Amino acid sequence: MPRWFYQLASPRWCYQITGRLLPGFSIVALLLLLGGTVWALAFAPADYQQGNSFRIIYLHVPSAILAQSCYMLMAVAGAIGLIWKMKVADMVAKSCAPIGATMAVLALLTGAIWGKPTWGSWWVWDARLTSMLILFFLYLGVMALNSAIESESTAAQASAVLALVGLVNIPIIKYSVEWWNTLHQPATFKLTEKPAMPAEMWLPLLVMVIGFYCFFAVSLMMRLRNEILRRERRSGWVRDLLLSK
Amino acid sequence: MNPKRRQRLFIVLFIVVGVGIAVGLTLFALNQNINLFYSPTQIAQGEAPEGRRIRAGGMVVDGSVIRSQESLEVSFEITDYENTVRVEYAGILPDLFREGQGIVAQGELDSRGVLKAVEVLAKHDENYMPPEVAEALEKAGKMPRPAGQEFNK
């Protein structure tokens, strides 16, 4: 194992490195989200069928991608916490859950708002929408377990197992539109093919997706730092840090 | 890696793989029930129950739309390019409804094999483009059309 992996295990080192990374990520996230939003809403062309209502894609797609990425990070961090008994990994997993749940809600809400004018219905029980709703419930389950169990380490173990069990849902969300007949359209972007959208439409989307990832990094680091301070409140370095201010 | 960690690693892998296989088999067994709609081919083969509320999905056939002059009644055919099913509906159609558009209709099959729809939803495909591009493609006859495959899984 490389040295940085073991350094990550130190809450103090983690607190310091995230403190140094935070300003950079915040500025990049702010610039990308502001620039991307203006580009997407004002300069990207309208769609030939949906007109301007398609622009909700610039919120819907990034939030849906983030909801799934965040879940994978939560499950991997949970697994590392289970296997290596690494406290920082447990804290990362715990910090991921509320952010992911918010992203899932955002994806479901923007989808419903888009669905009404385009499909003619707010909600349909098709495979994609249902599996995304299950993802949201999984996040709620992880959050509930974390707060219901008194002991920090038991709570982390229980929620990590739930996160790992729910991991099976991620490929189901991804491939639901290919395996079954759904109302939700298949993916516009595939790794192997050209996107089914011209560059002047997908470039702002790419900016928004990267912006969302940066924003996710910022909020995750902020939550993680709070969690580190809370759990390490009895250790010497946290006391020194608080007294020095 | 010490034996304790290796053992825990195996437990984690066992959970992920085990749940994956269990859910995979369940979904495989429930395959037909997860589909939101039946394709015209499935209806033609008699897979869809008669007299029960079902959904049918397909492309609206060009030139098949018949609108009533004095009411909201409309009748059209949907296809997956292998079979077609006639749909009858009375109500407001979604904005995206047009010939060549994918739709999903909910209703009951009657004895003639016509779907009496109570709800028609538009199915948007994955193609997005500005109006000028769409116009140019339409003129050149190169407009992308969803394959019939999309309605028959």
Side-chain angles (χ1 to χ4, degrees), chain A residues 180, chain B residues 21-34:
Chain A
W180 302 293
Chain B
I21 292 173
V23 173
L25 288 175
T26 314
L27 291 180
F28 185 71
L30 292 174
N31 202 9
Q32 277 312 314
N33 297 316
I34 299 171

Side-chain angles (χ1 to χ4, degrees), chain A residues 140-226:
Chain A
L140 291 190
V142 168
M143 286 160 67
L145 267 183
N146 260 322
S147 52
I149 302 174
E150 196 84 29
S151 143
E152 303 272 14
S153 64
T154 319
Q157 274 180 1
S159 54
V161 170
L162 175 61
L164 284 169
V165 168
L167 197 58
V168 70
N169 192 33
I170 296 293
I172 295 177
I173 296 177
K174 170 101 180 75
Y175 292 107
S176 54
V177 287
E178 288 172 31
W179 290 339
W180 302 293
N181 285 331
T182 54
L183 191 60
H184 194 288
Q185 63 267 36
T188 299
F189 301 94
K190 294 182 188 115
L191 285 178
T192 49
E193 284 170 45
K194 258 177 36 182
M197 185 185 247
E200 65 256 43
M201 281 177 161
W202 64 254
L203 275 175
L205 185 56
L206 184 68
V207 172
M208 288 302 276
V209 170
I210 301 172
F212 261 70
Y213 269 105
C214 292
F215 170 74
F216 167 63
V218 170
S219 45
L220 179 63
M221 285 192 281
M222 289 171 80
R223 285 194 159 269
L224 180 62
R225 285 161 65 81
N226 274 342

Side-chain angles (χ1 to χ4, degrees), chain A residues 48 50 83 177 180-182, chain B residues 8 31 35-36 124 153:
Chain A
Y48 75 114
Q50 307 166 50
I83 298 166
V177 287
W180 302 293
N181 285 331
T182 54
Chain B
R8 290 198 293 253
N31 202 9
N35 283 328
L36 182 75
H124 189 261
K153 286 174 186 160

Side-chain angles (χ1 to χ4, degrees), chain B residues 114-125:
Chain B
V114 172
L115 188 84
K116 296 288 213 184
V118 291
E119 182 186 42
V120 173
L121 300 176
K123 178 169 160 57
H124 189 261
D125 62 30

